[in-house]
Amino acid sequence: MKNVIQAEDRNIVVKGKAKNKKEAFANAINQVARNLGAKEDNLIFKIEPKSFEVEELKEIDEKEHFLFFFFPRIRKSYEVQLRVLVHVEYVCVNEIDCQKLATTDNPLFNRATKGV
């Protein structure tokens, strides 16, 4: 049998949003595997990050009031956009030849044994 494992490097752009920077980065990094898995027909078994580039990091301040007038406060949230270079190893399932077997020895599907 031939080796069916293939490997390549890919660039992925991911985004994350949260109340602090650490969670925003964690949310963005969690998107890497989801993006790869959604677009891939093959079986991915290893994703290794090589580099991260921060394309955009935003701090968003939103002023809000209780009952539109009372107790004003400012809520901060962060948005990050990363470009991630990952090394992906996967198995090309479509390239594997499948051996087909046809059997009719099953008594459930044999009409002679059912009495029909």
Side-chain angles (χ1 to χ4, degrees):
M1 289 214 89
K2 67 176 187 174
N3 189 6
V4 293
I5 297 175
Q6 296 184 0
E8 63 182 26
D9 291 340
R10 296 183 186 174
N11 274 319
I12 300 173
V13 176
V14 291
K15 295 179 181 181
K17 183 177 181 179
K19 292 180 181 178
N20 58 37
K21 287 183 190 179
K22 184 178 178 180
E23 289 180 12
F25 274 89
N27 290 339
I29 292 169
N30 286 336
Q31 294 294 321
V32 172
R34 290 184 192 142
N35 287 352
L36 283 174
K39 297 177 183 176
E40 189 69 35
D41 292 335
N42 300 316
L43 177 63
I44 297 175
F45 64 90
K46 185 176 181 182
I47 301 171
E48 180 182 352
K50 296 288 185 181
S51 67
F52 292 98
E53 294 178 17
V54 178
E55 288 189 345
E56 190 174 71
L57 178 61
K58 295 179 187 176
E59 180 181 314
I60 301 167
D61 294 334
E62 296 179 28
K63 189 173 184 180
E64 62 180 25
H65 297 272
F66 177 71
L67 294 176
F68 302 108
F69 299 108
F70 306 108
F71 308 116
R73 69 175 176 179
I74 296 176
R75 284 191 176 224
K76 290 188 178 189
S77 62
Y78 295 89
E79 288 183 7
V80 66
Q81 182 174 338
L82 300 174
R83 179 173 300 276
V84 184
L85 176 66
V86 292
H87 180 76
V88 180
E89 292 185 13
Y90 58 93
V91 175
C92 281
V93 180
N94 296 333
E95 293 181 7
I96 300 172
D97 294 330
C98 183
Q99 186 180 19
K100 294 183 180 180
L101 300 175
T103 62
T104 58
D105 296 337
N106 192 340
L108 295 176
F109 297 112
N110 193 350
R111 291 182 178 230
T113 59
K114 280 181 141 180
V116 176

